[in-house]
Amino acid sequence: MTALPSHRLAIAGHIVAEAAELALWHFSRRAELRLDSKRSQDFVSEADMAVERLIRDRLQQHFPDDNVVGEELGGELGSGANWVIDPIDGTANFLRGSPLWGVSLGLLEGQKPVLGVVALPVLTELLAAETGQGVFSKGQPFVRDSRFDQVKMVSLGDSADDRLQDAAAFYQGLRGAEWSVECYRCTTVGMLFAAKGLIDGHLQRRTTLWDIAGGLVICAEAGLEVTHAFRDGDIRHMSVAAGTASLLDAVRPLWPNLQPC
């Protein structure tokens, strides 16, 4: 493990830290925000747009030749370097005043995740990782807390695209296997908590690339088993499982098509 993050990771960390400050400013004034609904329980505010624009501007300054994909302002994956932005993951939590929301930035080479930075601004958390370099917190190497692994806890992501019957059966299977199930309504929170060792992992059978791009490398570099899959090659229809070996062993009978990356 290197003593310090690479120049590219350090820049990405600074960008996300600045974006987190802007998001916090909007959070403190959320009663004044204009709000639109993309669909049931899927919201976008002017804060999402402002934070994504800031991240895009900074990426253009530092990495002008790289492609950018964002949840709010769009884009498609190219064959080279792709920065993937989720400006405020957990917008519903953000709007209701919950601290469980995050800012996520990931870098893919083609479709391969190679770098990720995730901030939870209210909780003053920011983790950054690059493939083969480990995880960093405040610029210093970070080691996942693996104590008390006998206390079995997992974060379960949900989606409006889930078939209710399937989602209920999956939850029932986890509970039947004696896992305590949390639902934070924010993928980046679930993945960051898993990387820190607060829980054993995060499972989400339907998600999007911008929700998971930042957390994928962080979880993998923290020592978790990580798998993700595109549904028909669509970045808007993906799945993710990031967890300890014991968690994924318990999950595979409930998720038969779960395959390692």
Side-chain angles (χ1 to χ4, degrees):
M1 181 183 293
T2 57
L4 294 170
S6 70
H7 180 64
R8 182 171 65 173
L9 184 59
I11 290 173
H14 288 310
I15 291 172
V16 172
E18 184 180 1
E21 287 297 320
L22 178 60
L24 268 178
W25 183 86
H26 282 286
F27 183 69
S28 69
R29 294 160 177 81
R30 61 190 177 278
E32 305 165 11
L33 291 174
R34 293 189 301 273
L35 176 66
D36 293 310
S37 178
K38 292 182 278 190
R39 58 178 180 167
S40 176
Q41 295 299 313
D42 192 1
F43 303 100
V44 59
S45 74
E46 59 186 293
D48 298 77
M49 303 297 287
V51 173
E52 182 166 328
R53 289 192 184 99
L54 182 147
I55 295 174
R56 284 177 177 267
D57 287 347
R58 299 299 182 264
L59 290 172
Q60 176 62 30
Q61 292 171 15
H62 293 284
F63 308 105
D65 297 327
D66 292 353
N67 185 46
V68 179
V69 179
E71 179 176 14
E72 309 306 341
L73 299 177
E76 299 294 335
L77 291 182
S79 58
N82 296 281
W83 293 95
V84 182
I85 306 166
D86 195 337
I88 298 177
D89 184 29
T91 300
N93 291 350
F94 176 98
L95 293 170
R96 294 301 299 265
S98 166
L100 299 179
W101 54 273
V103 178
S104 174
L105 178 64
L107 177 63
L108 280 68
E109 295 290 350
Q111 294 188 0
K112 181 180 179 182
V114 296
L115 178 153
V117 183
V118 170
L120 306 182
V122 180
L123 303 181
T124 66
E125 295 277 6
L126 189 150
L127 292 185
E130 193 165 7
T131 299
Q133 303 301 310
V135 182
F136 296 88
S137 173
K138 298 180 175 64
Q140 298 301 313
F142 173 86
V143 177
R144 181 178 187 272
D145 186 347
S146 59
R147 295 171 296 174
F148 305 113
D149 59 0
Q150 70 273 24
V151 182
K152 303 195 301 183
M153 298 178 64
V154 59
S155 165
L156 184 61
D158 63 358
S159 167
D161 293 326
D162 272 333
R163 291 181 63 234
L164 184 56
Q165 184 175 3
D166 292 344
F170 192 61
Y171 173 85
Q172 185 176 16
L174 289 169
R175 294 292 291 116
E178 299 184 340
W179 286 87
S180 176
V181 179
E182 304 284 351
C183 183
Y184 301 117
R185 293 289 300 165
C186 178
T187 304
T188 53
V189 166
M191 296 187 77
L192 203 72
F193 281 10
K196 285 176 62 65
L198 303 180
I199 55 177
D200 295 280
H202 177 80
L203 308 172
Q204 194 158 350
R205 297 188 305 159
R206 291 180 181 271
T207 185
T208 63
L209 180 60
W210 42 81
D211 283 342
I212 65 176
L216 287 170
V217 177
I218 294 172
C219 285
E221 289 296 304
L224 299 175
E225 294 186 22
V226 178
T227 180
H228 68 281
F230 292 82
R231 294 173 179 268
D232 302 320
D234 188 348
I235 64 174
R236 296 163 186 82
H237 295 87
M238 299 188 66
S239 61
V240 66
T244 60
S246 61
L247 171 61
L248 294 196
D249 285 346
V251 166
R252 287 188 179 95
L254 308 172
W255 195 344
N257 58 349
L258 180 67
Q259 298 293 332
C261 295

